[in-house]
Amino acid sequence: MGQIMSTLSSPIIFGEVLYDCFPDGTRILGGAPFNVAWHCQAFGLQPIFISRIGDDELGLGVKSAMRDWGMKTDGLQIDPEHATGKVNVSFKNNEPFYDIVENSAWDFIESKMLPELNKESFLYHGSLALRNPVAAESLNTIKRSVSNSTFVDVNLRSPWWNLPFINNIINKCKWLKINSDELNLMVPDKRNTENKARYLFSHLQLDLIVVTRGANGAIAINENETCSVHPEKTVTITDTVGAGDAFTSVLVLGLHKKWSLQNTIDRAQQFASEVVGLRGATTQEKKFYQPFIKNWSL
């Protein structure tokens, strides 16, 4: 079996932190990079999470939650002018839709306030966090100071993307994760998911591409093999918010631990299938993670 190669340095996770606000008034901490960092912390990776919060009640909630969870907060900036991010979540046919508040604190992550970073660390980021040029320039600053090992998680959220924008982001990444709907938008003229994924893999300088397919599982392609995984038929779904982020967090873990590709996506699917039983993307219950920590010998 092929191996996914990585360093052993703590991953740098860059991007949005916000509150997912549900129709019943519930507010749950979210944002794809934050969710990935949260799960990675639970799995023992101690990521460096770089984002920005407002000097407000929600911002205090973010910082308090991170400290209680044991996460490092030296990459968390405080913005005196812009509010902590919010997303209004609605549902249609059990699929989440997102109203992402613009000009939130995380749009203004400043390069001058970045913490000291290990140059051997690999970097994870999404595409949504680059909608504002201030945060985009800060990411470029990070890229210039750490290794070339970058994991990009595509998040196509209208109106903050177009094909040239996304192609520029993924052009130099090493590992790419994308869902099947996003893949269809990026490669509309190929016949099926695997062909579309192979097209991207062959046209970019990638070591790995992973395509998540919701109820149909996922497919992963590297230079040596193609692997797939399907969820158990008995999965209990509360909502699907954060399922892709849960999957991604185990991809990051697999990179760090140098698991085989098949083992990595099998475990990623197992974890994502449990997260869809939660309300929202994360939980503060450490016992939720214990079966995975035990079974995966973490």
Side-chain angles (χ1 to χ4, degrees):
M1 298 294 287
Q3 296 288 320
I4 308 175
M5 302 305 293
S6 75
T7 75
L8 290 179
S9 299
S10 297
I12 300 166
I13 298 180
F14 177 97
E16 64 270 21
V17 60
L18 45 84
Y19 277 86
D20 290 322
C21 302
F22 291 85
D24 65 358
T26 303
R27 297 189 306 197
I28 299 179
L29 264 176
F34 179 82
N35 296 339
V36 171
W38 185 269
H39 296 315
C40 285
Q41 178 68 30
F43 292 134
L45 290 191
Q46 296 186 311
I48 306 297
F49 178 60
I50 297 177
S51 190
R52 193 170 175 92
I53 55 175
D55 187 11
D56 51 29
E57 181 184 358
L58 292 182
L60 289 174
V62 173
K63 197 165 191 177
S64 176
M66 288 179 64
R67 285 176 169 168
D68 289 347
W69 200 239
M71 295 176 70
K72 302 172 185 177
T73 59
D74 52 341
L76 191 66
Q77 304 175 6
I78 298 177
D79 191 316
E81 298 179 12
H82 302 96
T84 300
K86 291 196 297 183
V87 172
N88 297 313
V89 184
S90 59
F91 294 90
K92 184 177 181 180
N93 298 325
N94 207 40
E95 287 297 317
F97 292 84
Y98 308 93
D99 173 23
I100 306 169
V101 177
E102 199 168 2
N103 291 323
S104 296
W106 57 265
D107 285 307
F108 298 92
I109 300 170
E110 286 191 10
S111 57
K112 293 180 180 179
M113 297 179 67
L114 294 172
E116 184 176 349
L117 300 171
N118 185 332
K119 66 179 181 179
E120 300 301 322
S121 296
F122 76 81
L123 169 67
Y124 162 95
H125 70 89
S127 52
L128 179 61
L130 308 184
R131 68 180 182 176
N132 187 292
V134 175
E137 180 52 37
S138 294
L139 181 67
N140 287 333
T141 299
I142 294 171
K143 287 182 175 181
R144 289 191 291 267
S145 63
V146 300
S147 75
N148 292 326
S149 299
T150 302
F151 185 128
V152 172
D153 191 357
V154 174
N155 314 112
L156 302 187
R157 299 284 186 258
S158 296
W160 297 294
W161 75 275
N162 55 59
L163 279 177
F165 172 76
I166 294 297
N167 285 331
N168 184 58
I169 291 170
I170 67 177
N171 189 45
K172 295 182 180 180
C173 73
K174 190 171 184 178
W175 308 298
L176 179 67
K177 180 254 179 183
I178 188 170
N179 70 36
S180 55
D181 291 336
E182 293 162 339
L183 183 63
N184 289 337
L185 290 171
M186 292 191 63
V187 189
D189 55 347
K190 298 298 177 182
R191 185 167 52 87
N192 57 39
T193 298
E194 183 171 340
N195 285 341
K196 292 171 189 285
R198 288 192 178 281
Y199 176 85
L200 272 187
F201 186 83
S202 65
H203 283 75
L204 298 169
Q205 295 180 329
L206 294 173
D207 285 5
L208 172 71
I209 182 170
V210 179
V211 183
T212 54
R213 303 183 292 180
N216 293 317
I219 184 171
I221 297 171
N222 66 18
E223 186 176 0
N224 300 314
E225 60 188 320
T226 299
C227 301
S228 61
V229 64
H230 299 275
E232 296 289 337
K233 294 182 179 179
T234 56
V235 171
T236 300
I237 298 176
T238 299
D239 69 54
T240 56
V241 174
D245 306 333
F247 195 102
T248 301
S249 69
V250 182
L251 295 181
V252 172
L253 182 63
L255 289 167
H256 187 86
K257 298 292 186 181
K258 299 184 181 180
W259 293 340
S260 72
L261 183 57
Q262 186 67 60
N263 205 19
T264 297
I265 64 170
D266 284 345
R267 291 173 173 179
Q269 184 63 62
Q270 292 168 18
F271 184 59
S273 293
E274 289 298 316
V275 167
V276 297
L278 300 174
R279 182 63 186 274
T282 60
T283 177
Q284 296 182 347
E285 295 292 334
K286 292 184 182 296
K287 65 182 181 181
F288 178 81
Y289 298 89
Q290 285 306 311
F292 304 102
I293 291 170
K294 179 180 179 181
N295 292 336
W296 301 344
S297 301
L298 298 178

